[in-house]
Amino acid sequence: MEKVTVIDSPCGAGKTNWLIKYIQEHIDTERFIYMSASEEEIARVVYEVNAGKEGHNKVIHNTNPLRYTNWNKRYVNFKTLVENGKSIATSYETISMCSKETTELIASGNYTLILDEVSSVVENIAKEIKFKRDDLALMEEVKLAHIEDDGLFVVDDQEFYGIYSDIMSRSKSGTVHYIDKDTIRWTFPVHEFSAFNRVIISTYMFDNQLQKYYYDLCNIKYDKVSLVDSKIVPYIYEKVNTTKLHIYNKDDLNSIGDDKKSLTTKWYKRTTAKNLKPLKDAMYKFIKNVAKVNCDDVVWTTVKRNTNPLQKRGYDKCFIPSNTRSIQEFKTKHCVIYTVNEAINPFVLSYFKDRGINIDEDKWALAEMIQFISRSAVSNNEDVNVYVPSKRMRELLLDYCKEE
């Protein structure tokens, strides 16, 4: 495998368009596996790559979760497409389902892997899968799976489809560890990269992201490049056009976020709907009195579980999760409200600390926020009003804007 190539340029630089063009120009001689967290982008890539194309070897196939909600059906479909040498567009989760056999098929198939935006690298999946430690005895008895001394969950029957298929599907690539009943750790199967001829990652502010730290931990070599005027060039640090960002920095609407721990996930968990009213009111005042726009020109975000307490007068129609990537209609919004004080999940943070890696949480938080804000109309060089009530996050943003 060649080195991983990271295309690091701001939103609006045309990275996805470049990827689509690259696939179109090389699909006769290469096979592609395109992965994205956005179902919308997956559908867009499939449609645009296939537009005007004829012939079975020029089609990129869609295996996103909307079409294949069952883990096993998605895996079987993915594996079948690889066996038949098809190019594929799918979600990030699919790479977890690559068994040794599937990985060998990819290695022999002249595949290029494209990750459109970085993916999660460490997760505690205990709450999302149906598995208890007591289940293991039965699984071992019928030779479905076993757990090694270090906690590694090993799938012994790669073709099993049944009640344990969720954990077995996630474990096919060999990166799931059973820690205890509340902790089942999944890590991104970066070893799968070696099966591909080439790996291309498209993102912005890569150096501040968890995936960069993870690649360093796993000794993955990568080259950073930039996209300028639709051409790949040596890496150049580029900022979002901050002259178009109008950040509200007056105390009247921002006092709720003065405390360093305000608006964090923990803060939202212990705050009642009644106590969220000042934040709801501040959001409404910002929209009507500062930005002076209608709700259809607004995009806002918060900790996902708190969308209901913050819904008011149409807010629910313009909510997007803070970790959203590659949303096209977002580009028309001229009012951005970011009510999140970003903090790395303690489980993820401890994973890196235990391995001697210290993450700059402020830089990570800034990257998360910039990724969200830069998907607004500022990507079209249009003026955008920005409300960030967290003092910590707002100061990070203001410092970013002052950078030369």
Side-chain angles (χ1 to χ4, degrees), residues 1 178 238 387 392:
M1 183 194 74
Y178 181 91
E238 294 180 272
Y387 175 46
R392 168 183 171 250

Side-chain angles (χ1 to χ4, degrees), residues 5 88 95 118 165 167 179 240 304 324 333 336 378 392:
T5 299
I88 304 162
I95 200 168
V118 294
S165 59
I167 187 171
I179 310 301
V240 173
K304 190 173 182 179
T324 296
K333 308 296 185 179
V336 178
V378 73
R392 168 183 171 250

